[in-house]
Amino acid sequence: PDDPALFMARAGELSRERRHVPALADADRAIELSPEDPELYAGRADLRERSGDEVGALADHRVACQLGRERSCERAGVDPSR
């Protein structure tokens, strides 16, 4: 089924197995299904950090921040009031 939560759950499992490419593909699919959900961007940011992609993680935290997730604003070094 096209359920973003299921894709993110599987992405987490794949990442724990150090299978970063398929994990990120699942996170990408989750975001395609629900592009306005800041938690999905934050989740993908965590996956990107685990895979060593700090630039991509920062970009995802910035999007999550723009969508209203304050913790991501902190992680991205952005003032959430802006």
Side-chain angles (χ1 to χ4, degrees):
D2 284 341
D3 182 344
L6 292 177
F7 279 101
M8 288 306 289
R10 186 169 66 180
E13 289 296 320
L14 290 165
S15 179
R16 282 186 280 285
E17 296 171 1
R18 298 178 194 263
R19 296 175 59 200
H20 300 296
V21 172
L24 288 169
D26 275 358
D28 291 344
R29 181 66 179 134
I31 288 171
E32 287 174 14
L33 293 169
S34 188
E36 299 300 316
D37 185 341
E39 296 301 322
L40 298 177
Y41 290 94
R44 187 172 69 181
D46 291 341
L47 294 172
R48 286 181 164 177
E49 287 171 357
R50 288 184 208 157
S51 73
D53 180 7
E54 295 296 324
V55 172
L58 182 61
D60 277 343
H61 278 303
R62 285 186 177 143
V63 173
C65 174
Q66 291 171 344
L67 292 173
R69 188 175 188 272
E70 287 188 29
R71 286 187 312 236
S72 286
C73 296
E74 294 167 9
R75 301 276 299 271
V78 175
D79 182 351
S81 64
R82 289 182 158 187

